[in-house]
Amino acid sequence: MDNLKNLVREKHMYMTRIGVAVLVCLSMTSLLVYRLIGLQVIDREYYATRAEENRMRLSAVPPVRGLVTDRNGVLLAQNTPAFVLEVVPEQVENMDTLLRALRPVLNLDDVEIARFKDRVGKTPRYRSVPLRGNLTMEQVARFQLNRFDFEGADVTATLTRSYPLGSAAAHVVGYVGGITEEEFKKIEAAAYQGLTQIGKIGVEKSHENELRGTPGAKIVEANAYGRPLRELEYRQGAPGKNLVLSLDAKVQMAAEKALAGLDGAVVAIDPRNGEVIALVSKPGFDPQPFVAGIDRTTYKALLDDRKRPLYNRALQGAYPPGSTVKPFMALAGLEYETLQGGHGEYCSGSMSLPHSTRKYRCWKRSGHGWLDMAGGVIQSCDIYFYEVAQALGIDRIHTFLSLFGLGHPTDVDLPLEKSGLLPSREWKMRTRKEAWFPGETLNIGIGQGYMTTTPMQLAQITARMAMRGKGFKPHVVHAMQDTLTGATTLVPPEALPAIPHRHAQDWETVINAMVEVTASQRGTAYRVFKDAPYRVAAKTGTAQVAGMSQDELRARKLTETPFHLRDHALFIAFAPAEDPKIAVAVIAEHAGHGGSAAAPVARQVMDQYLLGQILYNLPADPGAGAPVAAGVPAAPVELIGSPGSASDDEE
Amino acid sequence: MSPFHRSSNDDTRVRKLFDVLHIDPVLLCLLLAVCALGLTVLYSASGHSIAMVINQAERLLIGLVVMTAAAQAPPEIYRSAAPWFYGFALLLCALTLVLGDHAKGAQRWLDLGVLRFQPSELMKLAMPIMVAAFLHLFTLPPRWHAVVLTLMLIGLPTVVVMVQPDLGTSLLIVAAGGFALYLGGLRWQYIFGALAAIGAAAPILWARLHDYQRQRILTLFDPESDPLGTGYHIAQSKIAIGSGGVFGKGWLEGTQAKLDFLPESHTDFIFAVFAEELGLIGICVLLTLYLAIVGRGLYIAARAQDSFQRLLAGSLAMTFFVYVFINMGMVIGLLPVVGVPLPLMSYGGTSMVSLLAGFGLLMSIHTHRKLLAS
């Protein structure tokens, strides 16, 4: 009985325990469900987003860079296919067998193979690894022929930038190269998704944003190891815009050719709208090696070259303008009415300032005799312009030449432009802590002394002279073309404030004198232009290179002077004088006289532009559209006598 | 049931067949339902591996055979064999420490040439049998000296398994023994006292834990602190579960497992795959099935005829629940990641077989009831 009682009690206790256990189980299950509701209902959104973030990978689709052409559609920068042999290690059954098979096809060497294997080791196995870039068409063909023996290897085409005109337009077009670390810090990473290159100089740099385009994106589903499995979404990017430069490739080539053997620069501008027709800096360089990554030796050779081929003389070279400044001095004299009337000035071959024994000489030691303003310009008399400058004084010279933009960059749409130097009292006090000396004004009168200008500035002031004070900001980009729609947007010329002048006829007076420089037998550029079928207003210049005294230089013949001390030859001109279409500035370093060394260069540029003479054939380019003829075809013109044959009929 | 197809005679015959085989049809159906869900999700979690599903199905078959075999022996046999079974399991566990294979920094496996298994799984069965058999000797509730002896029976194998180290299994072993003790009528003051003692001993235990175990507990509380390291499991599993939402992404549509973001997706974390693909609704179905199994186990325990059978059946049922709770708790970030598989669903042979063997014991208890003398 007692035992049975015990059993009943035990059973009862047991059932209680089971009941408690059931309650505990249910409450623990509730805890689980409570937690699951938190995850799956309340925070579902958050976790769903996290799951999406996990699986989605953005992979950039780089845009195709815009083309650069000249005004006639001649390609200056293009994208050419390059063939790369790539290997996907995952798909290769036996890497050594594959490499052995590929070896004779590509002429692989051990170093290349070792480097390739190193890269393979560092890349996920599903990603392709380049084995050899820049395959020749023959290698591609040989590969394709036996492609079934090369499981896992494939030839892919990529686009590389190429420059059909090579060195001829390198300083304008520039080049692209790998993005450096400093550049990487500055750029907006999103705009360069998938891109490895960036414009380094020239238009490639200044119009990088337009040329580059907008990267597209592929959204792919990827697993935890980053392997893309399928494409979920394709986000369209936009290819870069095509640039149509105002440059005329034929004129550019003509200028390049005309400067052959010389160092210097040519800038030709259309004065009616500021468009740059040609811009040459010599010596040039081949931009192509920079694209693929220039090797150390080539780059060092370019950097160490004493003639500095990478330096863009047209924009960065600051040269004394020499006598090319004289027409502008004459104009200032007319404006401020400081020119002597009557017989004008008398040139005895030298002069000196009051209270000074220092003699200021004319380049013509025997003197020019009595000269008026026109005579001074035509014969480039130094004495005449010493007097003009003295009468004007440095302050008025500075004010007047500032109106032409000297002392400031022209703001052409190219990088790295220098401002040159237009000195003033204030400038000298600031930089030299010295007062201005009257004798320094005289030197400015003939474009020497502190004064420097860039060839771009010289071309620009010539263009403004041609336009009788009106002017436009120089620019090289004529239009931009949207590659998708084909719509072309012109870059409108940007007018500059006109140079005010009290007497409008003063412009004609000076321009007439400049025309006489080429038309009058006494003119310093007569020989070069005597047979030109258009009227040219011009001025020659010969700029001294610092280091030798005037007297010393005068005493020696050009050929006896050490090369690096020889004068720079300068020439500015515009034509046709009555209806200017082109303004040119030429500088030939250490080439001697402007009339003999620089003027022929300008003549050839103008002939090419104005007469459309086929002086130089462009490299054959199948990709270019039919070029529209520039200028009017004209009767063949006798070629100009070679530079160097000039006599001492100048300065 | 349509009378045209099945007569009550047929019904009786089927029931007779189950009686002869000592199978509880209710429990069997519930188990098979969970296993079917398990195989379905395994196909998805394994990355559509038919081979793994077949492999797992084979283990299920072996498990069912073992279960049926275990159900044939009457409970008395288990009671009398308990010390031998317990001793044998303890010996193997100890052997593992000396001879065991290393896997993931722990010695859990014993290679017997033909089969490689974890002796601690054996202990999970041996423990409740032993405790139940031992307590059967006393009038219940047990007096304090019986309790102390029971605690020693529980403690010894627990320590051996814990130093392997296998925290998850040792927890389950403690649970199995503890539940038997609890059902045996351990006084509430002892239970609460023990809970208090565990609370007090926690810092000491903490000091004795392995670094990786500590790290698991630490990252539990702040999994985001180390999203690529130890917290990665929990973080990714929560993403999988949470992103499943109420209705789930659909079978085979879970991205977390398919794209390998979820580690151990076919073993310990298979519940996350289930939750991602079948959502809260699927989970509720699964939980219901699990609770039904536990409920059936407790029902069997309630109807068992002596204290050994009651304690054993109740302990087995409750341990099964703890099994489920620990796994789900760790997968949803409620408990530390201790390496407990989801019963009947996670890929792996030993636990499947030992679990089904346990259910064989339950069936044995249920089908060997004698009619009480009126």
Side-chain angles (χ1 to χ4, degrees), chain A residues 10-11 13-14 17 20-22 25 28-29 35-36 39-40 44 47-48 50-51 54-55 222-225 229, chain B residues 182 185-186 236 238-239 241-242 245 255-256 259-261 275 280 283 298 301-302 307 310 318 321 325 332-333:
Chain A
E10 198 180 310
K11 174 99 185 182
M13 182 265 315
Y14 184 73
R17 295 269 159 144
V20 171
V22 168
C25 284
M28 283 168 93
T29 308
R35 174 78 174 183
L36 282 163
L39 288 172
Q40 296 195 295
R44 196 199 87 91
Y47 288 111
R50 294 278 305 272
N54 264 350
R55 74 189 181 106
N223 67 9
Y225 315 106
L229 299 175
Chain B
Y182 157 79
L186 181 65
Q236 292 300 336
K238 279 165 78 179
I239 291 173
I241 296 166
T255 55
Q256 285 289 101
L259 303 175
D260 294 329
F261 289 102
L280 189 57
I283 292 173
L298 291 177
S307 57
R310 276 183 211 136
M318 286 173 68
F321 176 79
F325 181 79
I332 65 180

Side-chain angles (χ1 to χ4, degrees), chain A residues 30 71-72 90 95 158 197 233 259 293 298 307-308 324 362 375 429 460 463 501 508 606 617 631:
Chain A
S30 311
R71 57 170 61 196
N72 299 316
E90 193 182 59
M95 188 61 84
T158 58
Q197 297 201 310
E233 197 188 321
L259 264 184
T298 318
K307 293 184 167 181
R308 302 175 69 191
T324 58
C362 185
M429 191 50 85
Q460 172 68 353
H501 220 273
E508 305 306 328
M606 289 178 161
N617 284 320

